[in-house]
């Protein structure tokens, strides 16, 4: 029987929700790994709505669960209903929605608050010694909830202009965590905490390299599950 994995989304679209390619890559690799997947998102209003064509704010309101349902093809549940006891692992794709809707990192940086259901979900899997997979900006959730953990968001310097958000690594260190420098096609496994991270679109890289990096994260999560 395949591993039971929960995937937590943050909306639909890179600038105000989950990064679509990352979410899709995680789901493809989970499918290939024989996992049984259920998708969740918090039933809350988005922090903002961005016109993805213009890159500017839109004067409207959207719900994170409703927007995430687009990616889940309608088969999704409220994050409040997620029970860690029913799963072997949990995975959080990235996207600005993580930093805006799942926590307030986009506004408050390392002083952010984490959504109560997101925090309790992370704590429940961690307490049960079940693996947690995170990519792109999502590792900041672990850094905030689990001081002392090891994560990667890529490099801690803007190597060849490919890591424009390298300062995120410094903020993670300021939270008391260890940042491990990794390339886009790699992931890092914090064996002690069973946290697996990969940088994905924190690196300016071809889509197939990001897809492959997420694949390594998913494979490591399934191994630990």
């Amino acid at each position: 029987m395949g591993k039971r994995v929960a995937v937590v989304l943050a909306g639909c679209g890179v600038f105000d929700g989950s990064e679509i390619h990352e979410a899709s890559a995680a789901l493809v690799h989970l499918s290939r790994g024989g996992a049984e997947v259920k998708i969740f998102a918090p039933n809350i209003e988005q922090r903002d709505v961005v016109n993805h064509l213009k890159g500017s704010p839109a004067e409207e309101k959207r719900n994170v669960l409703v927007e995430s349902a687009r990616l889940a093809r309608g088969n999704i549940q409220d994050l409040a209903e997620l029970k860690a006891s029913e799963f072997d692992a949990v995975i959080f794709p990235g996207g600005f929605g993580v930093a805006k809707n799942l926590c307030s990192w986009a506004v408050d940086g390392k002083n952010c608050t984490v959504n109560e259901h997101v925090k309790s979900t992370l704590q429940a899997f961690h307490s049960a010694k079940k693996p947690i997979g995170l990519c792109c900006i999502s590792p900041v959730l672990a850094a905030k909830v689990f001081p002392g953990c090891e994560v990667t968001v890529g490099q801690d310097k803007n190597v060849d202009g490919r890591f424009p958000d390298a300062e995120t690594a410094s903020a993670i260190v300021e939270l008391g965590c260890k940042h491990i420098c990794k390339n886009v096609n790699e992931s890092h496994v914090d064996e002690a905490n069973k946290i697996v991270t990969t940088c994905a679109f924190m690196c300016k890289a071809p889509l197939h390299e990001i897809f492959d990096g997420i694949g390594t994260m998913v494979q490591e999560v399934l191994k630990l599950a």
Side-chain angles (χ1 to χ4, degrees):
M1 185 175 169
K3 303 296 184 183
R4 301 164 301 168
V5 182
V7 174
V8 180
L9 300 181
C12 182
V14 59
F15 298 128
D16 58 15
S18 288
E19 210 297 319
I20 292 171
H21 299 292
E22 291 180 16
S24 180
L27 293 170
V28 169
H29 286 296
L30 285 167
S31 175
R32 182 170 285 145
E36 180 187 327
V37 177
K38 287 192 178 175
I39 304 174
F40 297 84
N43 186 9
I44 56 174
E45 190 175 297
Q46 290 186 186
R47 177 174 290 274
D48 63 9
V49 178
V50 175
N51 179 323
H52 279 57
L53 179 61
K54 296 179 179 178
S56 57
E59 294 299 317
E60 58 179 286
K61 297 184 185 302
R62 296 194 183 188
N63 177 281
V64 175
L65 179 59
V66 172
E67 291 303 298
S68 298
R70 294 173 179 270
L71 281 168
R73 297 171 62 85
N75 190 6
I76 194 168
Q77 292 172 262
D78 187 339
L79 182 59
E81 298 170 11
L82 195 165
K83 294 181 178 66
S85 60
E86 296 176 356
F87 294 91
D88 301 304
V90 64
I91 287 177
F92 289 77
F96 277 101
V98 172
K100 290 179 174 182
N101 305 325
L102 303 192
C103 70
S104 63
W105 187 278
V107 176
D108 302 318
K110 69 181 193 305
N111 299 314
C112 72
T113 54
V114 178
N115 171 275
E116 59 177 317
H117 293 304
V118 172
K119 186 175 182 178
S120 63
T121 295
L122 288 165
Q123 290 172 330
F125 278 85
H126 187 259
S127 297
K129 294 182 166 45
K130 294 179 176 180
I132 299 167
L134 309 115
C135 64
C136 193
I137 192 64
S138 292
V140 302
L141 297 173
K144 191 68 184 178
V145 178
F146 308 118
C149 72
E150 298 177 358
V151 298
T152 188
V153 288
Q155 301 291 325
D156 55 10
K157 295 181 179 62
N158 190 8
V159 182
D160 299 326
R162 297 175 76 224
F163 295 89
D165 301 303
E167 72 277 359
T168 303
S170 301
I172 285 168
V173 171
E174 287 173 27
L175 284 170
C177 298
K178 187 172 183 180
H179 180 266
I180 311 296
C181 291
K182 291 283 182 178
N183 290 321
V184 67
N185 59 346
E186 300 174 310
S187 55
H188 176 70
V189 181
D190 177 345
E191 300 279 359
N193 291 294
K194 290 196 171 183
I195 294 170
V196 188
T197 50
T198 190
C199 69
F201 276 102
M202 293 294 274
C203 176
K204 288 186 174 179
L207 183 57
H208 70 278
E209 291 183 13
I210 289 162
F211 182 89
D212 292 346
I214 292 171
T216 68
M217 181 266 285
V218 169
Q219 287 164 18
E220 294 295 343
V221 166
L222 293 178
K223 272 189 215 168
L224 290 171

